[in-house]
Amino acid sequence: MQIVHRRNRLSASILALLMMLPGCGEESAPLLTDPSADHTATGANSYVETVVPAEDQSLTGEEYSRRGLPAWDRAWSGEDMQRAWRVLKQIADENPLRLPRFQSPKSGEIFARMIAAENSNPLKDPSLSVQKKMEIVVPLLTANAEILKLYGLAQARGITFDSEFVELIGTNFDLFEITLTVIEEFIPTLDPNDPTYSVRMGGLRKMRSGLVTSISGCLQIVTESDEYRLTERQKLVVYLRRSLPGILPHLDDAQRKTIADRLEKMRTDSTLEQLQPGLSQLAEEVSAIVERSDSKTDADAGP
């Protein structure tokens, strides 16, 4: 049940985010990867790995296609992602081991399409209105969340999908970073006299709080050597280093400091030696963001 609780932590910020999006109601939701860093562990030769990934029983692309999966030789829209989730849910209900796997000879192309950065490119298009971007992001977020949930539930049942889960988490945080920028553009377009305005602003506050919870959940995963292989925990550190600089400015000072303090403790934790120097670099980068924020606050306060 420990994994289920972690999945709930990761979902908290997404649920809060959707509360403030128009037309989303109470739906659940999301996660992109582009790892180019070397994930080789410090002292890896002396490290004994105990986590064994689940056997690859995934289907071929043709088999997924016959089940109704969208074509994977192009970017997937939010609607494509929704369709993919519905197909994959049916498959997972039958046998979760048949879900697509990261870098699998049989289904690697399918998984790569699910986490492709290309899927969120429309959100970066300066020619699109912010209203259009909001329409795009809602189905994308919700579908990504539901797909993540499929793998999280399988993991909770003892099926080790650590690579897939970490890749999807990385995708989620990349998507959050993009979405937060869209939201910052969207908020000024809202009418403060609209009856839903206070609800949406409340949703924004919950989202910020939820993001702290989500980040804390990811940092907890980094420590869980009994459930995630060292290489996957190292990749998660890389993904946090990629996304946090774009996410932390959207949090308040106290929330940023909470994350910085947690990382300071982790960088001196002897049980996490195999995750250095990446963890120390992440701690330094977050600390620098906090310091810049403190300096700006002092400057704004004036003499």
Side-chain angles (χ1 to χ4, degrees):
M1 296 304 295
Q2 199 173 21
I3 299 176
V4 174
H5 293 323
R6 173 164 68 255
R7 177 67 188 94
N8 288 339
R9 287 201 299 271
L10 287 170
S11 297
S13 58
I14 302 164
L15 291 169
L17 170 61
L18 292 177
M19 287 291 291
M20 70 171 292
L21 298 179
C24 275
E26 300 274 346
E27 295 181 57
S28 63
L31 301 151
L32 282 165
T33 134
D34 184 18
S36 56
D38 181 5
H39 305 310
T40 304
T42 303
N45 291 335
S46 62
Y47 183 83
V48 178
E49 187 62 79
T50 59
V51 180
V52 179
E55 178 186 358
D56 184 2
Q57 297 183 21
S58 59
L59 307 179
T60 64
E62 289 72 20
E63 289 172 311
Y64 288 117
S65 182
R66 285 198 293 270
R67 296 293 297 264
L69 204 73
W72 58 91
D73 59 351
R74 57 172 174 78
W76 279 359
S77 65
E79 288 70 23
D80 288 325
M81 290 293 295
Q82 293 276 344
R83 178 180 166 191
W85 163 67
R86 288 190 291 270
V87 170
L88 294 178
K89 185 178 186 306
Q90 291 178 345
I91 292 172
D93 287 343
E94 297 166 6
N95 182 357
L97 285 169
R98 292 176 178 167
L99 287 170
R101 303 293 296 277
F102 179 60
Q103 295 184 338
S104 163
K106 293 187 290 185
S107 60
E109 288 184 325
I110 307 300
F111 193 90
R113 171 48 57 200
M114 291 195 302
I115 63 174
E118 184 184 12
N119 297 338
S120 62
N121 279 350
L123 298 173
K124 307 171 191 175
D125 185 350
S127 69
L128 288 183
S129 68
V130 66
Q131 287 79 13
K132 181 62 177 177
K133 290 179 181 179
M134 293 296 286
E135 293 173 7
I136 292 171
V137 76
V138 171
L140 197 59
L141 284 170
T142 55
N144 271 282
E146 295 298 338
I147 291 172
L148 173 62
K149 187 187 297 182
L150 296 178
Y151 287 87
L153 291 174
Q155 183 111 343
R157 292 170 57 183
I159 300 173
T160 301
F161 281 158
D162 59 342
S163 288
E164 291 74 24
F165 202 50
V166 166
E167 293 299 327
L168 288 166
I169 289 172
T171 299
N172 197 29
F173 273 85
D174 283 351
L175 189 54
F176 261 132
E177 182 183 357
I178 297 168
T179 302
L180 286 166
T181 301
V182 174
I183 289 174
E184 291 295 332
E185 297 174 7
F186 176 69
I187 289 175
T189 70
L190 298 176
D191 181 0
N193 297 317
D194 189 302
T196 65
Y197 184 82
S198 61
V199 174
R200 287 174 169 174
M201 292 302 99
L204 178 58
R205 290 189 293 272
K206 290 179 181 178
M207 179 193 68
R208 288 171 175 159
S209 177
L211 275 170
V212 176
T213 305
S214 293
I215 294 166
S216 296
C218 285
L219 295 178
Q220 179 62 30
I221 289 175
V222 169
T223 72
E224 294 180 342
S225 59
D226 58 336
E227 297 178 18
Y228 297 86
R229 283 170 292 170
L230 176 60
T231 52
E232 308 318 304
R233 292 183 290 131
Q234 288 174 315
K235 284 196 289 186
L236 186 52
V237 172
V238 171
Y239 297 159
L240 288 171
R241 288 187 63 196
R242 188 175 66 198
S243 298
L244 287 189
I247 290 174
L248 292 181
H250 297 275
L251 306 181
D252 63 33
D253 292 342
Q255 291 167 334
R256 285 190 287 264
K257 190 172 187 308
T258 295
I259 296 166
D261 290 346
R262 173 77 180 274
L263 282 166
E264 279 301 315
K265 292 179 180 178
M266 292 177 71
R267 73 186 299 188
T268 58
D269 186 340
S270 61
T271 66
L272 301 176
E273 181 182 0
Q274 299 288 344
L275 292 162
Q276 307 298 342
L279 201 52
S280 290
Q281 292 169 339
L282 176 60
E284 291 170 5
E285 290 160 2
V286 169
S287 179
I289 292 172
V290 171
E291 289 176 5
R292 286 197 298 270
S293 175
D294 289 344
S295 298
K296 184 178 184 304
T297 300
D298 292 341
D300 290 344

